[in-house]
Amino acid sequence: MRGSTPVAVLLPAAPDRTRRRLATLGDASAELASGGPASTLSFGLPGLDAATGGLQAGRLTLVAAPPSVGGSLLGLAAARKTALDAGREVLYAASGPNRADIFRRILAAESGGDYARLKQGRLTDYEEQVAQQLRHKNHVLFIDDGSDLTAEDIAETAPHMNGLALVVVDRLQAAHSARLPLSGDRLPAASQVLAGLARTLNIPVLAVVDSDDPTLLGLLDADVVVRLSQIAADPSRIQVTVTERDFGAIGSAVLRPDLVHARFLDAPPSRGTELAKAALPYTSGAQQGLPADATRVLAALRTAVGDGDDTAVDNLGASLVQAFASVTRLPDDPEGRRLADALRAYDPALRAYCPALNTDAAGTGEQQAPTEQQAVPDPLEKNAEQTPDDADEQQEEDGLAPGDEEDEPEGHVFPALKILKDAVGRSKMHPISVIGKGERDSGPWPLISEHMDGEPRWVHPDVTATRVPHVRANGKRVRRDQLDVPDSFGEGTLCMIDRNGSFPSACSAVPLAPNKLLHTGPLDAFDKTKAGIYLIDIPQWNRTDMPHPLGRIIDRPDEDGRVWVTTPHIKQLEKLVREKHLGAMPTIHDSWTGKYNESLFKPFYEATRKARTELVQIGGDPYKAYKTRLSIALRLLWPKRPSQRSPFWRPDWRMSMVAEASVRHWSVAFRAVEQGHRLLALRNVDAAVFWAPDGTAPATYRIGTGFGEVKAKFVQPGQMIPEGDD
């Protein structure tokens, strides 16, 4: 009976447990102070590193992205940065791609080569050189692409690697697969193993999961989650949201997928980025002094910038003008001055409507004088730094003066205007050279703008361009470009290409309509017998090694996201579609066209080329006079000021000629890039900068003094780009 019978209870002996080490605040403080780069690794993407704080030791970071968004490329970016740049050991556990895929992706990202082409085994000489350099770094990146890879396998391998700095797991598959242990309902347990590995070895562990399902991410319970999602308004940009367990959202960034080169790039900051930063003290309540309406609009702008919604940022411009129109003073402190500078930079037009921006930040009423760093660009400087509004304003001052419309005197070294008038006058198509003033405010003419030229304003996303002060020989202060090239490009120099006579050269075959443009409306396809202007959707261009084929045309779409282009760009897009660089021709929503002609300016081109051949050798004043009269003749095709008389008024002719020059400039640079050369910058219709590892210009260019030929100069990285001499 339990009541009268003693019951003996045997208790197991207490285990001899080792005392757990306790850390003091002093220990934690010392680790933080001595941390920094040694304990925090980088993705190699400054915007993302700022949002995440980097990859921190002892933590499991999860990159969550639906298939095809590119989550694996972030894992690869961290591995490349840690192994190839920092020279530290990385274990790349590949449950998806195999080692050959991984090497090709690394090679594409490091060399700028086409990943699809590399998969075919076709390498340029430069890519082969980069591949050889990568092979010599086999002591820092270790790949496990074995079958049946488990989290336990990774946790067993990692401790035996001396100096291991990072583990990347590519990838965890949300859908169950019998052949992949790292998939389906086995993922939560695997995540716990990887989190334990990070803690045990005190290193970052980065795992990629091919889903952004909140339920699944909650089950995986990572320390940090980096979620990738496409921005609906701009599929070429990826929104990144960073959340931390126990804290929620801690940061965000916007990236650009460069799938051609198997990598991500930091997206260029929105033009409202600096204004959003300057607005923070006011929208958070830390700083007072603005009307409620102004604070509300600034808060909306901060939200739009954070979401990567450039359209919303641009649309807030009118609201900013209205909200700040009644603000006569801004606070006289660093925050107020920063806000004033950011408002001016966001939109120069704000100065015209906001009294506070026409005075200094203290509201003294004194006009601010530009410093040397804020010097107004020279409108005649070919590479002058301009905002689009600056450019429009300067182009109203078209460089023409009263009397320029008169024919050159007898015996002039080059009577350009006479020659151009004669070329138009003797055409068998009886062109209409002047549209009457009564017609200029209707029909197609108000639709034509300088932005239809398609001139590129582009710098490679990995290259930093800086405008630096420069004093010309005549004492005039201007600003010049300086390009800083990352170390990942290897050894080399900058090769500057300057095309000779881009505009007159384009006159050899400009596709245009000599007579009036008629409204031909929407078109099912481009009619090769017609030329004129066309309203099209902006075609998607995913390459980051070349600017968009339409250049700055894409910077000012209408409210439907469409742009007006001339015939040269329509022909260029057709060619890119034929060669499979573009998926499809954009829809033509509207058009104004006339009978197609390419020969209208050809006699002018031939005379100009012949004169240049002779006068470039003479040089001096005769050559200067030739260039002056040539420029005047072409500008007179569309004088901007109503007071300027001219034998011409055909903006479609002028813009077709400039667009043809832009297309030719872009196309030659594109051929060079296709041959493996790396383009650093492309500007206007004549300036290109290439990276030259071997110190030579791309073979797609002909060196010489004739039309269509180029001058090539070489400078070291970080040096100022000199002025052209032609």
Side-chain angles (χ1 to χ4, degrees):
M1 289 178 59
R2 293 183 62 87
S4 59
T5 305
V7 177
V9 180
L10 299 178
L11 298 174
D16 184 14
R17 300 182 65 181
T18 303
R19 286 185 60 193
R20 294 179 65 83
R21 181 182 181 277
L22 305 179
T24 67
L25 283 176
D27 297 330
S29 169
E31 289 176 4
L32 178 63
S34 63
S39 59
T40 301
L41 301 179
S42 169
F43 286 95
L45 297 162
L48 182 58
D49 288 331
T52 59
L55 293 165
Q56 298 180 12
R59 311 186 86 183
L60 171 63
T61 297
L62 203 63
V63 173
S68 79
V69 173
S72 290
L73 297 185
L74 281 190
L76 194 69
R80 287 170 40 225
K81 185 67 177 178
T82 303
L84 304 182
D85 291 356
R88 305 180 70 189
E89 282 191 12
V90 174
L91 171 59
Y92 201 98
S95 178
N98 60 39
R99 68 189 67 179
D101 288 332
I102 294 166
F103 182 79
R104 281 190 287 262
R105 292 174 187 180
I106 292 174
L107 178 57
E110 292 293 315
S111 69
D114 188 326
Y115 175 59
R117 176 168 48 76
L118 295 179
K119 290 173 70 174
Q120 300 170 8
R122 295 188 291 117
L123 277 66
T124 65
D125 291 342
Y126 175 68
E127 290 160 358
E128 185 58 54
Q129 178 184 348
V130 175
Q132 193 62 36
Q133 294 171 353
L134 291 174
R135 294 185 190 107
H136 291 316
K137 295 188 177 183
N138 58 4
H139 60 286
V140 289
L141 182 58
F142 299 87
I143 301 171
D144 183 350
D145 65 347
S147 60
D148 298 329
L149 181 66
T150 67
E152 288 77 12
D153 292 333
I154 300 168
E156 182 180 343
T157 302
H160 298 288
M161 298 177 64
N162 294 324
L164 181 63
L166 172 67
V167 174
V168 175
V169 182
D170 182 9
R171 61 190 176 270
L172 310 180
Q173 181 173 299
H176 173 75
S177 172
R179 67 180 185 84
L180 293 178
L182 294 177
S183 69
D185 57 8
R186 290 170 284 189
L187 293 186
S191 178
Q192 293 305 308
V193 172
L194 296 175
L197 175 63
R199 287 289 186 91
T200 302
L201 298 186
N202 195 34
I203 61 172
V205 174
L206 174 66
V208 180
V209 59
D210 64 351
S211 172
D212 59 355
D213 179 15
T215 302
L216 174 61
L217 300 183
L219 292 174
L220 299 186
D221 194 28
D223 297 297
V224 176
V225 177
V226 178
R227 297 181 63 177
L228 279 63
S229 58
Q230 285 187 320
I231 298 174
D234 186 358
S236 66
R237 290 152 61 93
I238 298 296
Q239 178 68 50
V240 181
T241 305
V242 183
T243 58
E244 186 173 323
R245 185 171 51 199
D246 303 331
F247 285 95
I250 61 171
S252 65
V254 178
L255 300 176
R256 280 196 300 132
D258 181 11
L259 302 184
V260 172
H261 303 125
R263 62 188 177 185
F264 275 109
L265 303 171
D266 268 320
S270 162
R271 74 185 184 105
T273 298
E274 175 55 29
L275 181 54
K277 293 177 181 178
L280 178 59
Y282 298 93
T283 58
S284 66
Q287 188 83 359
Q288 304 296 320
L290 293 181
D293 283 351
T295 304
R296 177 183 55 77
V297 176
L298 290 176
L301 181 130
R302 292 196 69 245
T303 300
V305 170
D307 291 342
D309 190 345
D310 285 352
T311 300
V313 171
D314 290 340
N315 289 341
L316 284 167
S319 299
L320 278 170
V321 170
Q322 184 176 359
F324 279 86
S326 61
V327 179
T328 57
R329 293 172 59 99
L330 289 173
D332 183 17
D333 53 29
E335 288 80 8
R337 287 188 285 273
R338 181 181 184 184
L339 180 62
D341 290 340
L343 285 165
R344 295 185 188 101
Y346 171 84
D347 188 348
L350 279 167
R351 282 179 176 268
Y353 301 98
C354 307
L357 301 185
N358 288 316
T359 62
D360 61 12
T364 62
E366 296 177 1
Q367 198 73 22
Q368 290 181 312
T371 64
E372 183 175 357
Q373 287 72 27
Q374 299 168 329
V376 176
D378 175 7
L380 300 181
E381 175 68 9
K382 181 168 60 177
N383 290 329
E385 184 177 36
Q386 300 176 347
T387 66
D389 293 321
D390 292 334
D392 284 349
E393 188 174 71
Q394 289 163 8
Q395 282 155 352
E396 290 296 319
E397 300 298 326
D398 51 23
L400 296 170
D404 283 344
E405 72 280 1
E406 301 295 336
D407 286 353
E408 295 84 0
E410 290 296 329
H412 193 280
V413 65
F414 184 64
L417 185 56
K418 279 185 180 180
I419 296 170
L420 184 57
K421 287 166 63 177
D422 180 65
V424 172
R426 60 190 172 99
S427 170
K428 294 180 181 179
M429 298 190 72
H430 307 292
I432 299 172
S433 57
V434 178
I435 302 300
K437 291 184 179 180
E439 301 177 63
R440 296 179 187 181
D441 294 330
S442 60
W445 315 115
L447 303 173
I448 299 172
S449 76
E450 287 284 350
H451 279 74
M452 292 170 69
D453 58 16
E455 292 187 6
R457 305 279 196 273
W458 182 84
V459 176
H460 191 288
D462 292 343
V463 173
T464 302
T466 308
R467 301 293 291 176
V468 296
H470 172 62
V471 180
R472 287 176 165 179
N474 62 5
K476 188 170 187 176
R477 292 190 304 176
V478 295
R479 302 183 74 173
R480 307 296 303 161
D481 279 331
Q482 177 178 301
L483 300 182
D484 293 308
V485 180
D487 294 339
S488 61
F489 280 34
E491 296 294 326
T493 59
L494 275 70
C495 173
M496 270 87 58
I497 297 294
D498 185 7
R499 291 173 60 85
N500 300 323
S502 295
F503 290 149
S505 181
C507 290
S508 62
V510 183
L512 47 76
N515 293 295
K516 284 186 179 181
L517 302 180
L518 301 178
H519 191 214
T520 41
L523 300 176
D524 293 333
F526 169 54
D527 182 351
K528 293 181 173 58
T529 68
K530 303 290 185 181
I533 63 173
Y534 307 83
L535 180 64
I536 63 171
D537 295 315
I538 298 174
Q540 186 170 345
W541 181 255
N542 293 325
R543 298 186 63 142
T544 58
D545 55 355
M546 280 292 298
H548 196 286
L550 297 182
R552 69 171 182 153
I553 293 175
I554 67 173
D555 294 339
R556 291 193 174 182
D558 66 13
E559 58 186 13
D560 295 318
R562 300 166 182 170
V563 292
W564 284 96
V565 300
T566 53
T567 310
H569 278 110
I570 288 288
K571 293 181 65 178
Q572 177 194 31
L573 296 179
E574 276 210 321
K575 182 179 180 183
L576 291 172
V577 171
R578 276 197 314 272
E579 296 175 352
K580 302 192 183 308
H581 298 298
L582 284 178
M585 273 296 288
T587 301
I588 299 177
H589 296 281
D590 198 2
S591 64
W592 290 78
T593 62
K595 190 172 181 180
Y596 185 101
N597 176 268
E598 281 190 354
S599 62
L600 185 63
F601 295 154
K602 190 168 184 180
F604 176 76
Y605 158 75
E606 291 173 343
T608 303
R609 183 183 61 175
K610 182 173 184 277
R612 178 188 171 90
T613 302
E614 299 170 355
L615 295 172
V616 76
Q617 303 298 327
I618 299 173
D621 290 339
Y623 184 53
K624 290 180 181 177
Y626 157 83
K627 291 196 299 178
T628 298
R629 292 309 300 179
L630 171 60
S631 175
I632 288 172
L634 294 179
R635 288 174 185 271
L636 282 170
L637 287 171
W638 186 23
K640 306 302 187 306
R641 291 171 296 170
S643 60
Q644 175 66 56
R645 294 172 55 241
S646 169
F648 306 103
W649 196 90
R650 284 301 298 258
D652 54 326
W653 292 0
R654 167 74 182 179
M655 297 322 302
S656 294
M657 179 198 66
V658 182
E660 178 68 19
S662 298
V663 167
R664 295 185 184 192
H665 182 43
W666 188 96
S667 299
V668 178
F670 187 48
R671 289 202 299 272
V673 171
E674 287 289 279
Q675 292 182 12
H677 296 279
R678 190 176 303 211
L679 182 65
L680 303 184
L682 196 69
R683 297 186 64 166
N684 306 311
V685 296
D686 54 5
V689 183
F690 286 87
W691 185 242
D694 57 357
T696 62
T700 53
Y701 292 93
R702 290 180 297 151
I703 308 297
T705 59
F707 284 161
E709 296 178 332
V710 304
K711 296 179 287 293
K713 297 180 181 179
F714 297 87
V715 301
Q716 294 302 314
Q719 291 184 355
M720 184 192 71
I721 294 180
E723 299 181 52
D725 57 7
D726 189 17

